[in-house]
Amino acid sequence: MKKLLALAIVGLGVGLSNLWGDEQGVMELKGPEILEAGTYTFLSEEAGIAGWINLGQQIDLSQAKGVFVGLEKEENDYIIGSIRPSGYLENENAEIHCFVHKDGWILTYYTKDVPRAKIFDYRAYKQDQSKVVTMLWNGIHKVCEEIGIITPSEISYYDFKHPNANRLMLIVDGKWEEGWEFMHLTIPNEPGTLTVYETSWSHTAWDSDGSTFEVDDVQINNFGSGDNKWQWREDKFSPSLSLGDKHKIELWHNEYGGYKEGEAFLTIAIIYYEKE
């Protein structure tokens, strides 16, 4: 499970051991048992990357729906709609889709077209660099708060678009002061052992006078000055990052000569199948 990571990353500014401990930035993917009956096919049709949990107790749906900012469907046994993760504002378009079932299931997800790198919660990371939080966990936490349940520290993940994928790697870097940050990333080319389904990126800056993200000396994204505000953008690599090649990844953050004291962050997500 850790072989891909061991071969992949050189020169990462923020050590993955500090971010992820023994898991080294790799999350296992597995589908929730509630899908096995084939009843909730709309999830497979709409959802992409998802986080899920079963609380092991009944959920009062009338109470849970109080956290929804938009309710799409309400049935006797489940509700589905959108929620706004903790710490995000209405004008920031941070809503996540959410499915809550009375039998204890909570599932948060982005639609199939959304890049997988979007799941990293930069605001939570900015506040506490000792923890890695995903937006999907954040959404589940918001529901648990509403119904008065302590949120489990670990949730499960699954990609509905790529059901054969069994791993999701998040590579996270941050630049806390002015200057360039760099790393080299190589995704092994191992046919029959490793199948990569998607590579994507998410670039974010807070109170920055400018930030740039480059791959192999080609600019992928650039932000201008953002005074005391967040700027973020994400996309899939197109074409996908090539296998077997050493890619140079660079992140620039400008503090306008010390006038600004913000940060810039970068996440690269790789969703793949790795033979056990």
Side-chain angles (χ1 to χ4, degrees):
M1 181 174 70
K2 299 176 184 178
K3 178 174 60 174
L4 174 64
L5 183 68
L7 296 176
I9 306 163
V10 177
L12 185 61
V14 179
L16 283 176
S17 59
N18 295 331
L19 295 176
W20 292 91
D22 292 339
E23 288 306 309
Q24 300 283 303
V26 178
M27 298 184 296
E28 292 189 18
L29 302 178
K30 60 179 181 179
E33 292 85 349
I34 195 172
L35 298 178
E36 293 176 359
T39 305
Y40 305 102
T41 56
F42 59 85
L43 288 174
S44 298
E45 295 168 357
E46 176 177 288
I49 189 66
W52 62 270
I53 197 166
N54 189 293
L55 298 175
Q57 64 183 74
Q58 293 284 299
I59 295 176
D60 182 345
L61 297 181
S62 64
Q63 183 181 7
K65 74 177 182 180
V67 76
F68 281 52
V69 296
L71 190 62
E72 299 171 18
K73 195 171 185 179
E74 184 173 9
E75 300 290 347
N76 292 331
D77 57 348
Y78 72 91
I79 53 176
I80 190 167
S82 57
I83 59 176
R84 185 175 304 118
S86 298
Y88 289 82
L89 305 177
E90 182 177 357
N91 64 352
E92 292 179 326
N93 298 317
E95 285 74 23
I96 303 174
H97 293 274
C98 184
F99 167 86
V100 182
H101 194 283
K102 65 179 180 62
D103 289 340
W105 295 95
I106 305 174
L107 188 147
T108 53
Y109 65 93
Y110 289 108
T111 54
K112 292 183 185 297
D113 59 313
V114 174
R116 297 339 182 225
K118 187 177 176 67
I119 73 170
F120 188 73
D121 188 338
Y122 290 104
R123 282 192 167 172
Y125 182 62
K126 174 177 164 58
Q127 294 173 1
D128 185 354
Q129 292 83 57
S130 68
K131 297 179 181 179
V132 167
V133 178
T134 67
M135 297 290 280
L136 300 173
W137 182 92
N138 189 326
I140 289 175
H141 173 63
K142 193 76 178 284
V143 176
C144 287
E145 278 190 324
E146 187 73 15
I147 61 178
I149 300 294
I150 296 176
T151 313
S153 58
E154 300 292 336
I155 65 172
S156 298
Y157 294 89
Y158 181 62
D159 195 314
F160 285 87
K161 184 177 181 180
H162 305 293
N164 291 328
N166 61 359
R167 304 281 187 267
L168 170 61
M169 180 189 293
L170 293 182
I171 303 166
V172 182
D173 202 1
K175 188 61 179 172
W176 305 90
E177 54 199 20
E178 184 169 321
W180 284 97
E181 190 78 358
F182 80 94
M183 62 179 169
H184 288 99
L185 169 64
T186 303
I187 305 173
N189 187 6
E190 300 181 1
T193 300
L194 186 71
T195 302
V196 175
Y197 294 100
E198 179 188 298
T199 59
S200 61
W201 57 268
S202 174
H203 179 201
T204 306
W206 161 255
D207 194 28
S208 174
D209 196 53
S211 182
T212 300
F213 157 46
E214 296 183 358
V215 176
D216 298 331
D217 298 319
V218 176
Q219 185 179 112
I220 304 298
N221 189 55
N222 179 68
F223 293 125
S225 181
D227 190 16
N228 199 36
K229 70 176 184 179
W230 284 95
Q231 301 179 82
W232 59 79
R233 190 170 297 127
E234 63 280 325
D235 204 351
K236 300 173 186 177
F237 285 103
S238 181
S240 184
L241 290 177
S242 57
L243 307 186
D245 296 322
K246 184 178 180 180
H247 298 286
K248 182 172 67 172
I249 314 293
E250 296 179 282
L251 175 66
W252 162 258
H253 165 56
N254 187 4
E255 292 191 343
Y256 193 52
Y259 174 72
K260 296 181 182 296
E261 297 182 353
E263 302 88 26
F265 304 98
L266 174 66
T267 296
I268 294 176
I270 307 171
I271 183 162
Y272 59 100
Y273 166 82
E274 187 169 17
K275 188 175 181 180
E276 302 288 350

